[in-house]
């Protein structure tokens, strides 16, 4: 019934349909999860099939431990699909006209999203049999929607960037555009508020920690490669030349 309705784009009786879509948001079948459920969420949210009350209820349901943070910390199992595609759908909701959102929704979303980035252990990108997991990328896409929202407040800036840098400073080899995606909300924050001294200090500590070592393991090399690629990506996305110069000076220290 669900597959047939979504394939036909039959969104009548959307209360029952919405319930079924939420239950299948992390379906391990990539056709159902990605092609049908996610794309249908995109359509019914952006094309005004849902009332503000429905949008708000959907937001408050997905941001919980039963969806966005479902079994956070699990690794290499199917729970990642529910977390990851809840993040994508939350991003659509936040990007929607903001009439149903209040300031506390945004600050609450920042808290949950930072918690996600600090605790997500399943960092796979594309999985051969089940399609996109991409938890870090999808969470970062959500974060980009949050930091560009009119209700985002500057006092959340450093906390947000700290969680991003936590993911960057890791020996995991990102293969599916994750570093590029991590750079996007970083640059958005810099373009909106400028470079904070705390953010620069966090970067300086990462670089100093690497340069202070007398020899480098393969894990060290992977970590500094992530940092280098991240700084390059941010550099090309910031607007002000002065901010570019500050970032370039740090990038030069770890570029051979």
């Amino acid at each position: 019934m669900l597959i047939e309705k979504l394939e036909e784009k039959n969104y009548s009786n959307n209360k029952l349909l919405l319930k079924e879509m939420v239950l299948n948001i992390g379906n391990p079948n990539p056709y159902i999860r990605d092609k049908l459920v996610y794309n249908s969420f995109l359509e019914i949210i952006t094309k005004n099939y849902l009332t503000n009350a429905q949008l708000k209820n959907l937001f408050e349901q997905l941001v919980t431990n039963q969806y966005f943070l479902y079994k956070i910390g699990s690794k290499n199992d199917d729970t990642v699909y529910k977390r990851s595609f809840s993040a994508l759908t939350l991003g659509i909701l936040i990007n929607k006209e903001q009439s149903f959102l209040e300031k506390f929704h945004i600050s609450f979303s920042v808290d949950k999203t930072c918690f996600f980035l600090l605790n997500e252990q399943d960092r796979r990108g594309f999985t051969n049999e089940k399609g996109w997991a991409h938890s870090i990328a999808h969470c970062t896409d959500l974060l980009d929607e949050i930091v560009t929202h009119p209700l985002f407040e500057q006092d959340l800036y450093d906390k947000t960037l700290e969680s991003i840098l936590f993911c960057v400073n890791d020996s995991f080899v990102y293969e599916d555009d994750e570093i590029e995606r991590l750079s996007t909300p970083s640059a958005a924050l810099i373009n909106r508020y400028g470079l904070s001294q705390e953010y620069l200090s966090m970067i300086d500590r990462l670089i100093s920690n690497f340069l202070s070592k007398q020899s480098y393991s393969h894990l060290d090399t992977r970590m500094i490669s992530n940092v280098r690629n991240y700084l390059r990506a941010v550099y090309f996305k910031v607007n002000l030349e002065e901010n570019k110069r500050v970032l370039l000076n740090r990038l030069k220290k770890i570029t051979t």
Side-chain angles (χ1 to χ4, degrees):
M1 179 70 74
L2 174 67
I3 293 174
E4 184 176 302
K5 276 184 167 289
L6 296 186
E7 285 179 334
E8 294 173 354
K9 297 191 175 183
N10 179 359
Y11 304 130
S12 60
N13 190 15
N14 64 32
K15 184 176 181 180
L16 180 60
L17 181 65
L18 188 61
K19 181 179 179 180
E20 289 297 313
M21 288 169 62
V22 169
L23 289 175
N24 283 277
I25 200 168
N27 193 304
N29 182 319
Y31 176 70
I32 296 174
R33 179 184 74 250
D34 201 341
K35 299 300 181 183
L36 292 182
V37 173
Y38 170 68
N39 283 319
S40 295
F41 270 125
L42 183 63
E43 186 154 355
I44 67 172
I45 293 169
T46 59
K47 294 186 177 178
N48 302 318
Y49 283 91
L50 304 180
T51 66
N52 277 358
Q54 287 177 307
L55 292 169
K56 184 176 179 181
N57 288 338
L58 179 59
F59 177 90
E60 292 177 348
Q61 183 176 10
L62 292 184
V63 81
T64 65
N65 292 350
Q66 296 304 308
Y67 287 92
F68 181 46
L69 298 178
Y70 180 67
K71 295 190 177 179
I72 189 84
S74 300
K75 193 171 183 179
N76 298 331
D77 64 21
D78 288 349
T79 64
V80 67
Y81 303 111
K82 180 181 279 194
R83 295 191 298 274
S84 184
F85 280 78
S86 294
L88 275 184
T89 307
L90 284 166
I92 304 170
L93 287 164
I94 290 176
N95 182 259
K96 174 75 177 165
E97 302 217 356
Q98 290 84 26
S99 53
F100 78 96
L101 289 174
E102 298 177 42
K103 189 177 291 185
F104 79 88
H105 288 117
I106 299 302
S107 60
F108 184 73
S109 298
V110 172
D111 287 342
K112 293 292 186 180
T113 307
C114 290
F115 181 86
F116 185 110
L117 291 177
L118 293 173
N119 290 277
E120 178 59 76
Q121 298 297 310
D122 195 335
R123 300 189 176 191
R124 291 173 296 164
F126 189 80
T127 59
N128 289 330
E129 294 182 359
K130 298 179 181 178
W132 288 106
H134 230 195
S135 62
I136 297 299
H138 289 174
C139 184
T140 309
D141 293 344
L142 166 60
L143 196 54
D144 187 52
E145 298 293 350
I146 294 170
V147 303
T148 55
H149 193 281
L151 296 178
F152 180 88
E153 296 187 312
Q154 188 173 359
D155 61 359
L156 299 169
Y157 173 110
D158 288 326
K159 174 180 182 174
T160 303
L161 287 172
E162 183 178 13
S163 68
I164 291 173
L165 287 175
F166 177 85
C167 291
V168 171
N169 187 41
D170 193 280
S171 60
F172 183 83
V173 179
Y174 294 106
E175 297 179 331
D176 292 306
D177 207 39
E178 290 89 350
I179 292 294
E180 187 71 24
R181 305 275 268 275
L182 285 160
S183 74
T184 300
S186 305
L189 282 170
I190 294 167
N191 289 333
R192 186 171 180 179
Y193 299 112
L195 284 165
S196 80
Q197 190 54 53
E198 178 58 28
Y199 174 61
L200 292 175
S201 295
M202 287 187 280
I203 293 173
D204 288 340
R205 286 193 292 272
L206 296 183
I207 294 172
S208 296
N209 183 55
F210 177 76
L211 294 178
S212 66
K213 296 186 177 184
Q214 308 219 343
S215 62
Y216 306 133
S217 70
H218 70 288
L219 297 180
D220 294 325
T221 302
R222 289 174 180 174
M223 280 191 280
I224 205 61
S225 178
N226 285 342
V227 174
R228 185 188 302 117
N229 291 335
Y230 166 80
L231 287 176
R232 283 176 180 155
V234 175
Y235 171 84
F236 283 108
K237 292 176 182 177
V238 297
N239 295 331
L240 293 179
E241 288 301 319
E242 174 59 22
N243 290 337
K244 285 182 177 290
R245 184 188 63 78
V246 172
L247 291 170
L248 184 59
N249 286 340
R250 284 158 175 81
L251 184 55
K252 285 179 178 178
K253 294 179 181 179
I254 51 174
T255 301
T256 55

